[in-house]
Amino acid sequence: MTRGTFRLAAAAAALCTAVAGAASAAPVKIGMITTLSTGGGYLGEDIRNGFRLAMEQNDGRLGGVDVELIVEDDGRKPGNARQIATRLIQSEGVKVMTGSVFSNVAMATIPKIVRDGVIYISPNAGPAKLAGRLCHENYFNAAYQNDNFYEAMGQYFTDEGLDNVYLLAPNYAAGKDALTGFKRYYEGNVVGEVYTQLGQTDYAAEIAELRDADPDNVFFFYPGGMGINFIKQYVQAGLDESIPLYGPGFSADNTLVDAVGDAALGIVNSAHWSKDLDNPVNRRFVADYTERYDREPTLYAAQGYDTARLIGSALAATGGDVSDTAALREALAAADFDSVRGDFRFNTNHHPIQDIYVRKVVREDDGNLTNQLVAKVFDDHEDAYAGECALGQ
Amino acid sequence: MQLLLEQVLNGLQFGVTLLLMASGLTLVFGIMRLINLAHGSLFMVGAYVGATALAYTGSFLLGLAAGVAAAALTGMAMEALIIRRLYRRDHLDQVLATFGLILFFNELVRVVWGRQPLSMDTPAWLSGHVTVLPGVPYPSFRLAVIAVGVAVIALLYVLIMRTRVGMRIRAGASNREMIAALGVNIRLLYTLVFGFGACLAGLAGVMAAPFLAVQSGMGEDILILTFVVIVIGGIGSIRGAVAGALLVGVVDTLGRAYLPDLFALWLPPASAGTVGTALSSMAIYVLMAAVLAIRPQGLFGGAHD
């Protein structure tokens, strides 16, 4: 070996080491398969925006570790989501995933993903089965269990002595869960219970029936476009003056309120978060989000933000190592981060134990419509399915 | 009794919205033998442009004009650029191409206006309610929709039956080779008819915007019902579209309102609710099946053939 070749070999070896060094510090890949198209697309967009904001506030890092966020659109189709998940896991080597917005997509993808040894943190969907019988050590929910908001509204009715309620929801699984959740804590009289077709656009017939039934209060669950249609038509019929509307936070998130306009004023709704929750993390989140995206955050954005910071807390604890699933799991379960919701910890089934509030749509001084806190309904609320979950028993 | 009348009024109002969509769609099919799935996209364009123009100008009438004009221009551009190549193709090709247009327009709207649904308020002079019967306040905007629908029916009648263009349209529907041989510029006629159909779709879009969510994909929900309407009425027949739309509107509304009560007469309340809800969402399809079983060409179909 001549001196020249030796030098070359040494240089190559040095280069190799350098590359290997860089490889060990390669960013942690986080797969986000969420819903960005269809009428529900704004939910996924808000979750993604909230998540990205948490990264941007820390120069692209979470928990001091470089992360790469891979965002994919599932188009609200379970088949798409499954395909993308397989690709991310097999070709990209993704070990941590998040993103699911709709429960039907979640049910079709999450059980398989977590069986493959990947950690999944749901930023929104919280179907009952994943909280109960089908709970899994690799599955976490950073948002809520689906029934929580309805339960809170039922409890609020009971606390406030509100009675003679008329219930409306679309005729599908989540609609029935919503009314069941409400009735779990509601003790008064139900005047009428109506299930409408999923995706219905015109509610004139139901509204005429409702007026005829003459209830004192209305509780409705219409997510997305159905909610906009229903609220507008309800107000046009002049019913909001005599019979107040109550619903879950999904029916009065800021995007919906903006789309409905003045008709949304006064709607009372339940949620785990509100813009005016008074804690430093939330104040900073709301200010930064409004500045970055030029609109107020929704509860979905808050969930995306919390999901990112939860992952950050776990990455900080493991030093950015995602190959040791057990350690990562343990760090996630500790939920060692400051949530925009204030109190936040995980139950044995990896679903949140948190406070649930009631909010009301009001007009701010600058004319902007927004939600304002009215009351705290539940303190450290647990979901109804934790007992069916075999974890921690 | 008052409730029944109110529900019939609701049904008529819903039927009118369907009519505005169905008359354009059936016109295009009757004359060009073209199945245009993207008709719902023109509805969406009308609603979006109308809502945006209202937001900028504050005037509902300007919004209405802008929405209708935008839908007509979009429709004519669509005809000249894409649809024109499809007339000689079979229906499967037309369905595939116009389905592609749906995806294109949904994405375009998302790129231009974003994913957040838009808001369009009812104009102040139409936001109150009128007491149509003692004890039954009816939203004035819904009454306005019915009025617009009646005006459009009258306009269609005059246009198709009393004008030279209308005569050519009828002639084109009966025998397009012959009318082309007689020296009528069939190309221009097609573009005009398509533009007129788009106009009506845009009008439906703006009129629906104050009580519907203005969002990407909003045209598809109404498109399915529109197809039911023109199949019931007879494909290609304007008279059929009017009859079909009002029939579907009334049957759908009354079905939703009364079927659950009807079943409660002999079923326990819980299962009556379930059966009634399920059946009421099927009512118009049952109606369609019944019409097709008795008259396979639809109520007014096949008159020219």
Side-chain angles (χ1 to χ4, degrees), chain A residues 36 195 202 211 229 233 259, chain B residues 6 115 119 210-211 213 256 277:
Chain A
L36 296 170
Y195 290 102
D202 190 280
R211 182 196 295 121
N229 299 347
Q233 295 171 24
Chain B
E6 187 185 354
R115 294 186 180 86
S119 129
F211 53 89
R256 267 154 48 205
T277 309

Side-chain angles (χ1 to χ4, degrees), chain B residues 4 80 100 111 122 138 140 142 146 149 157 179 205 282 284:
Chain B
L4 177 68
V111 170
T122 333
Y138 200 75
S140 355
R142 283 184 188 267
I146 296 180
Y157 177 79
I179 183 170
M282 287 192 282
I284 55 165

